[in-house]
Amino acid sequence: MAALRMLLSSDFWRMAILWMLALISSYFHLLLTARFPCILRCHHRTRSYPRCRFSSAPDSIIKRPVCVVTGASSGLGAAAVRALASQGYHVVLVGRCLQLLQKTIGEIKQQDDDASLSAFEVDLSSFSSIKKFESGIKQWLSDSNLHPSIQLLINNAGILATSCRVTSDGYDQMMQTNFIGAFVLTNLLLPLLKISPVPSKIVNVTSFTHRCISNTDLNEGTLGGKIFDCLPTSGSYPSAHTYELSKFCLLLFSYELHRQLHLVDPSPNISVIAADPGVVETKIMREIPPIISELAFKALRIMRLLQSPETGVDSIIDAALAPSDASGEYFFGGRGRTIRSSKLSYNAQLGKNLWTRSMMLFEEVQSSFH
């Protein structure tokens, strides 16, 4: 019955049709970029970036850079942890279940005994949990005799909820996990990124589904209202649309933070990059009826669009190891390649409005815990 209800829902057809078109559009952009690089030029030409391995100078105070990865217990997060640990990072795993994080650490240690890893239990749908993590990582840096800074933050955590769940802070759980929590976490850790003696980086893991958000969607109300007051009062929960909107906002935030940092300093110490892994076989569809998700994965596998976490993580690692001048880019397709995201995502006024409303919330969170 659950599968039948899903098949008859607008969410199912939105995912089946609009998400597929959005994915195809991203690959089409990738093809055009490769074959005709001048066609998709808007403000600048899309390009590919090399991976730059961190190398510590003999007199450097940063011997092993610190990286924080959210949603690190499985899937793309775990794959990113494994890849970055092999690149010499001390990776801080962040997730909702400490036992799962410890299990992931154990599995990685079996393959790479030299991997330097730590775990923190954090729920991104809880402001108090995020604030606790801020205090915890500062104390951990001090106790570990490490430089009190972070070199890399990867906002990877995300959920696809099929029902409306209200957090203890009063927000939609999917929106708070996918965007609001990432915004709050990033701004709390920003001082630690800014004081890094070597260039630091923020990578926000977004999705091709952001392309499904149109001017029509935003004309129905202010963007801020849709994000912070998006709890449905009647009818079915717009699961697919809420997911798209959360990823669209994370992308808007990425570009706006990039602009904000460059306004203060034309050559800032921090770069901000968006990464889109495409379709990856992870547990994000755990709330979808199994028969539906299995059929979807099978169809995508036949079309050769489904990737394993170990392959899908490439765009995230490309962004994480990209040079500083890649700030403001949108990585997709692996091999260091970038494409243009949706036209709407570059709307500076939208980004500014979202930033203003989000900062108001951030300041409320800060004051409530002082």
Side-chain angles (χ1 to χ4, degrees):
M1 287 301 295
L4 181 59
R5 282 194 298 271
M6 183 72 190
L7 283 171
L8 296 175
S9 70
S10 59
D11 268 339
F12 173 80
W13 294 105
R14 189 174 182 100
M15 292 177 187
I17 298 174
L18 290 187
W19 287 17
M20 180 57 70
L21 290 175
L23 180 62
I24 291 171
S25 174
S26 291
Y27 278 110
F28 184 65
H29 277 68
L30 196 64
L31 178 63
L32 284 183
T33 300
R35 298 289 181 87
F36 311 102
C38 292
I39 290 180
L40 291 179
R41 182 171 60 193
C42 183
H43 299 296
H44 63 278
R45 182 177 299 183
T46 53
R47 54 179 284 198
S48 297
Y49 292 87
R51 291 185 178 182
C52 303
R53 185 183 178 92
F54 180 87
S55 57
S56 176
D59 58 344
S60 174
I61 58 176
I62 300 293
K63 301 302 181 184
R64 186 184 287 271
V66 175
C67 167
V68 175
V69 180
T70 67
S73 59
S74 64
L76 285 168
V81 171
R82 186 176 290 106
L84 291 166
S86 70
Q87 292 288 323
Y89 281 83
H90 182 104
V91 187
V92 176
L93 291 78
V94 169
R96 287 180 293 178
C97 179
L98 190 58
Q99 285 183 324
L100 290 178
L101 292 173
Q102 295 290 3
K103 180 184 177 185
T104 299
I105 287 177
E107 292 170 352
I108 295 173
K109 282 284 195 179
Q110 283 184 342
Q111 299 173 352
D112 181 6
D113 191 50
D114 293 328
S116 184
L117 308 167
S118 300
F120 283 82
E121 186 174 22
V122 185
D123 181 0
L124 285 177
S125 67
S126 166
F127 295 146
S128 62
S129 181
I130 298 173
K131 283 291 293 181
K132 183 179 177 182
F133 172 63
E134 178 200 16
S135 302
I137 194 165
K138 286 178 178 177
Q139 187 63 51
W140 172 79
L141 286 168
S142 176
D143 294 343
S144 303
N145 291 318
L146 295 170
H147 188 272
S149 64
I150 294 171
Q151 283 64 57
L152 177 60
L153 168 63
I154 300 182
N155 287 311
N156 165 74
I159 62 171
L160 175 59
T162 57
S163 61
C164 180
R165 296 189 289 269
V166 183
T167 68
S168 58
D169 300 306
Y171 298 99
D172 174 83
Q173 187 187 32
M174 179 154 56
M175 188 60 70
Q176 187 165 350
T177 301
N178 295 5
F179 166 64
I180 301 173
F183 183 92
V184 171
L185 176 66
T186 300
N187 279 280
L188 287 175
L189 298 186
L190 206 53
L192 299 181
L193 289 153
K194 285 182 175 179
I195 63 173
S196 172
V198 298
S200 56
K201 191 179 283 101
I202 298 166
V203 176
N204 289 329
V205 181
T206 183
S207 165
F208 58 89
T209 61
H210 82 272
R211 297 184 186 277
C212 300
I213 299 298
S214 66
N215 276 308
T216 304
D217 295 314
L218 301 181
N219 285 340
E220 294 173 3
T222 64
L223 179 61
K226 281 181 169 286
I227 304 309
F228 302 103
D229 308 311
C230 65
L231 299 175
T233 54
S234 63
S236 60
Y237 178 63
S239 172
H241 180 65
T242 304
Y243 181 81
E244 298 157 8
L245 193 58
S246 69
K247 291 299 183 178
F248 176 75
C249 288
L250 190 61
L251 186 54
L252 274 184
F253 163 51
S254 303
Y255 293 153
E256 182 59 25
L257 180 55
H258 165 76
R259 285 189 288 263
Q260 294 274 344
L261 292 170
H262 279 76
L263 277 175
V264 176
D265 181 356
S267 301
N269 192 50
I270 306 175
S271 51
V272 187
I273 302 175
D276 178 354
V279 182
V280 183
E281 191 170 4
T282 66
K283 296 178 181 178
I284 195 167
M285 294 181 71
R286 63 171 67 89
E287 295 188 29
I288 304 291
I291 189 171
I292 300 290
S293 58
E294 287 168 12
L295 286 173
F297 281 147
K298 186 174 183 179
L300 289 164
R301 198 175 289 113
I302 291 171
M303 291 184 283
R304 303 183 70 180
L305 294 173
L306 184 65
Q307 307 168 90
S308 67
E310 291 70 30
T311 301
V313 78
D314 280 351
S315 62
I316 299 174
I317 303 304
D318 288 341
L321 301 182
S324 298
D325 63 350
S327 186
E329 293 281 17
Y330 184 94
F331 279 75
F332 177 80
R335 290 186 281 171
R337 293 176 291 181
T338 63
I339 62 172
R340 300 288 291 176
S341 53
S342 71
K343 183 178 179 180
L344 193 60
S345 67
Y346 293 104
N347 187 312
Q349 190 58 52
L350 273 179
K352 195 177 204 180
N353 292 344
L354 179 64
W355 176 272
T356 301
R357 183 67 186 269
S358 301
M359 280 306 297
M360 288 172 60
L361 169 64
F362 176 70
E363 288 164 4
E364 289 175 11
V365 170
Q366 285 284 67
S367 62
S368 65
F369 285 95
H370 280 161

